[in-house]
Amino acid sequence: MIAMPLVERALTALARQLGKPTGFAGRVVSRLLNRGNRSIVVAAVAAAGCVPGVRVADIGFGGGVGLELLLDCDGTMVHGIEMSETMLAQAKRRFSDPILSGRLQLNSGRMESLPLDDSALDAIISTNTIYFVADLAAALRELARVLRPGGRLVLGVGDPHQMAKMPFTRHGFRLRPIDEIVQVIREAGFGQVDDRRVGAGDGAFHLLVCELPG
């Protein structure tokens, strides 16, 4: 009778850190996520189609593995948007050289209100973020706003049935059906939406590769 509330408090704390890593615990969680999600982020970066001169952003970059991979693409101009001040401070230390050279710009912000001009980007990646977004329609409209015509969004989403098996997702995660997410993406103005899977089986991760009309 006593153990269950303790377990639930631990799960709630973990879910909170996954949504917004903060302090020492957040830094530990971010390192674990960098390792665990690397293959997914590698696939997202590849799907974004980075070539020299492309302006690309990682929205909700967390531990920064996406920033690292985007900066490895020669000639890209990279933006990182993150609501966690702990993750922003960590990224500013880790990526001080590309920041000084002007290849990387980091800003505090949320998906629903991005500190970017209209049509500022050629591509966006964002993985494991929309579970923490209350107004998904507003967020998708904002992502469309900052992309140029013909721009590409790569949205990484865990399979909702698979994620529902993880006990911490009961605490603040919004696990939307993939069909519902695709419908909201199209209503935001995106045309083609390609659901690519990363991994094996019915529970494989979803990469939603979305393009604005040119």
Side-chain angles (χ1 to χ4, degrees), residues 87-101:
M87 295 297 96
L88 274 169
Q90 179 173 277
K92 286 175 182 177
R93 291 191 297 270
R94 180 180 175 189
F95 300 107
S96 58
D97 288 345
I99 291 171
L100 286 172
S101 71

Side-chain angles (χ1 to χ4, degrees), residues 38 50 61 65-66 68 110 114 129 133 143 146 164 169 177 192:
R38 191 176 185 88
C50 295
F61 59 77
V65 65
E68 172 195 332
R110 302 182 67 90
L114 297 170
T129 52
V133 175
L143 293 172
V146 301
T169 61
Q192 180 68 27

Side-chain angles (χ1 to χ4, degrees), residues 186 191-197 206-211:
R186 289 190 171 129
Q192 180 68 27
V193 181
D194 184 12
D195 184 2
R196 305 179 188 178
R197 307 300 292 274
H206 296 260
L207 275 188
L208 303 178
V209 183
C210 325
E211 294 191 5

Side-chain angles (χ1 to χ4, degrees), residues 76-88:
T76 52
M77 300 297 296
V78 181
H79 292 262
I81 311 297
E82 175 58 60
M83 64 180 180
S84 165
E85 293 301 323
T86 298
M87 295 297 96
L88 274 169

